[in-house]
């Protein structure tokens, strides 16, 4: 039985990675998880310069998940290349660097910096719901997504995964990314929500709104992954509320070629290993020889 998957020509030993922003850049979780067992490690978003992120409080619990408005705080590409990439290179796992920016030129600067770094793929975050609103609108416009994808593809030396935003018609954005030359898409990102602290009589997070993640978003994520799988021919990395192997398998059956575990890492740092083992057990039980045999079979 073969657990490996090929995403845009890059072979992962299994279809499980972690969602950007929920796993630091790997080192933070290395005491709890053997990084060698993961198909890939997806890093926290990195920008051309350090970002301080949003004011606190910036995390709140909600029913069935959490809400965050971290604002993509990160150390910037210089420190990231010096510290985080060499650390991840010690492990037998693929390295996916999540790239963020406020404007196309900022993305392009990071992509260019990463061109000669020993990483395997890049995930371009055009969809974070808690960074300035002007840019969010950019990621929601199909024409802009196609243009930005095309610009990145011109200079990127590694395969590009476009992380699509949550819009009314997700397939339109995914098709635009594919038209721009994206090698894969990943979805979904968090959904924008709000929580009010009735005792403090104010917003639970200083940003007023935040990105909602966790089991509460899973049915929406599975639906979106299924829709995109019908609309594009490039691989999909599915995510959104995966807390166990059964959740991950739903995404694979819906059409994702690989999955990302996010919020669940916070309450069970070893959850990814359970997901990997559970997928393997399911394949044995159901007679699947390869992961590919189960991708998108629910039609």
């Amino acid at each position: 039985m073969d657990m490996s998957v090929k995403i845009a020509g890059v072979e992962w030993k299994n279809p499980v990675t972690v969602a950007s922003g929920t796993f630091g850049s790997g080192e933070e979780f290395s005491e709890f998880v053997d990084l060698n067992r993961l198909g890939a490690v997806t890093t926290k978003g990195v920008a051309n310069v350090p970002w301080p992120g949003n004011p606190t409080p910036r995390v709140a619990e909600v029913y069935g998940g959490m809400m965050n408005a971290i604002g993509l705080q990160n150390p910037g590409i210089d420190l990231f290349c010096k510290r985080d990439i060499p650390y991840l290179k010690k492990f037998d796992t693929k390295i996916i660097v999540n790239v963020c920016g406020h404007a196309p030129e900022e993305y392009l600067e990071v992509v260019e910096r990463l061109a000669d770094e020993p990483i395997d793929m890049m995930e371009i975050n055009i969809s974070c719901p808690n960074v300035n609103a002007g840019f969010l609108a950019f990621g929601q416009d199909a024409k802009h997504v196609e243009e930005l994808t095309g610009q990145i593809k011109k200079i990127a030396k590694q395969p590009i995964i476009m992380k699509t935003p949550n819009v009314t018609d997700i397939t339109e954005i995914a098709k635009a990314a594919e038209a721009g030359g994206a090698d894969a898409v990943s979805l979904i990102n968090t959904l924008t929500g709000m929580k009010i602290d009735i005792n403090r009589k104010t917003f639970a997070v200083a940003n007023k709104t935040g990105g909602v993640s966790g089991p509460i978003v899973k049915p929406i994520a599975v639906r979106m992954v299924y829709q995109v799988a019908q609309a594009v021919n490039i691989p999909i990395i599915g995510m959104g509320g995966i807390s166990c192997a059964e959740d991950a398998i739903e995404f694979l059956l819906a059409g994702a070629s690989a999955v990302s575990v996010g919020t669940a890492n916070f309450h069970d740092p070893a959850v990814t290993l359970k997901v990997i083992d559970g997928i393997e057990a399911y394949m044995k039980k159901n007679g699947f020889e390869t992961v590919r045999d189960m991708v998108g079979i629910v039609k």
Side-chain angles (χ1 to χ4, degrees):
M1 201 183 58
D2 182 7
M3 284 282 284
S4 71
V5 293
K6 225 182 199 149
I7 309 284
V10 178
E11 187 165 311
W12 304 9
K13 63 175 69 164
N14 62 58
V16 179
T17 183
V18 290
S20 175
T22 63
F23 206 75
S25 285
E27 188 170 0
E28 294 85 337
F29 273 76
S30 57
E31 285 174 54
F32 311 105
V33 182
D34 177 4
L35 301 184
N36 294 305
R37 290 206 49 210
L38 295 175
V41 170
T42 305
T43 69
K44 189 164 173 27
V46 62
N48 60 335
V49 293
W51 287 8
N54 289 329
T56 57
R58 49 193 196 174
V59 176
E61 279 194 63
V62 295
Y63 288 122
M66 65 181 276
M67 191 167 93
N68 92 82
I70 305 296
L72 296 171
Q73 177 178 338
N74 75 90
I77 189 68
D78 291 342
L79 182 59
F80 180 84
C81 289
K82 197 167 81 197
R83 179 190 69 192
D84 297 328
I85 296 175
Y87 180 79
L88 284 172
K89 284 309 286 177
K90 298 181 198 164
F91 299 93
D92 175 25
T93 186
K94 298 301 177 203
I95 302 171
I96 304 173
V97 178
N98 181 285
V99 176
C100 54
H102 293 114
E105 35 298 348
E106 293 183 14
Y107 283 93
L108 295 170
E109 197 179 314
V110 178
V111 169
E112 205 161 348
R113 277 294 309 275
L114 289 169
D116 297 319
E117 291 289 336
I119 64 166
D120 299 287
M121 309 179 90
M122 279 184 257
E123 179 181 61
I124 311 298
N125 184 4
I126 51 167
S127 57
C128 188
N130 49 52
V131 190
N132 73 56
F135 187 69
L136 182 64
F138 175 103
Q140 290 181 346
D141 179 303
K143 193 163 73 54
H144 284 142
V145 169
E146 185 176 341
E147 275 170 23
L148 178 64
T149 307
Q151 288 173 313
I152 288 171
K153 279 298 292 174
K154 278 198 187 88
I155 57 172
K157 296 210 179 134
Q158 302 89 350
I160 292 297
I161 304 158
M162 295 304 275
K163 188 166 189 178
T164 54
N166 302 310
V167 291
T168 316
D169 183 2
I170 188 92
T171 60
E172 190 195 0
I173 300 290
K175 286 197 270 201
E178 182 178 42
D183 300 287
V185 286
S186 59
L187 62 145
I188 69 171
N189 209 322
T190 53
L191 302 172
T192 307
M194 179 181 282
K195 179 179 180 174
I196 288 170
D197 182 328
I198 62 166
N199 298 309
R200 285 170 47 237
K201 301 178 190 65
T202 186
F203 303 101
V205 296
N207 200 51
K208 296 182 183 164
T209 61
V212 179
S213 62
I216 192 170
V217 308
K218 194 194 85 184
I220 299 163
V222 173
R223 182 263 299 173
M224 287 189 171
V225 164
Y226 175 79
Q227 287 178 319
V228 170
Q230 310 306 307
V232 301
N233 293 311
I234 51 179
I236 297 164
I237 300 167
M239 64 192 82
I242 296 174
S243 313
C244 59
E246 288 81 355
D247 293 341
I249 292 159
E250 269 192 68
F251 279 89
L252 296 168
L253 297 179
S257 295
V259 293
S260 254
V261 181
T263 301
N265 290 306
F266 295 127
H267 63 82
D268 178 2
V271 64
T272 40
L273 307 183
K274 295 172 189 171
V275 171
I276 292 164
D277 292 340
I279 293 173
E280 190 168 10
Y282 178 84
M283 286 170 67
K284 278 198 183 106
K285 186 179 161 195
N286 290 275
F288 290 113
E289 281 301 306
T290 69
V291 175
R292 202 174 52 250
D293 294 340
M294 58 199 264
V295 170
I297 61 170
V298 175
K299 286 275 193 287

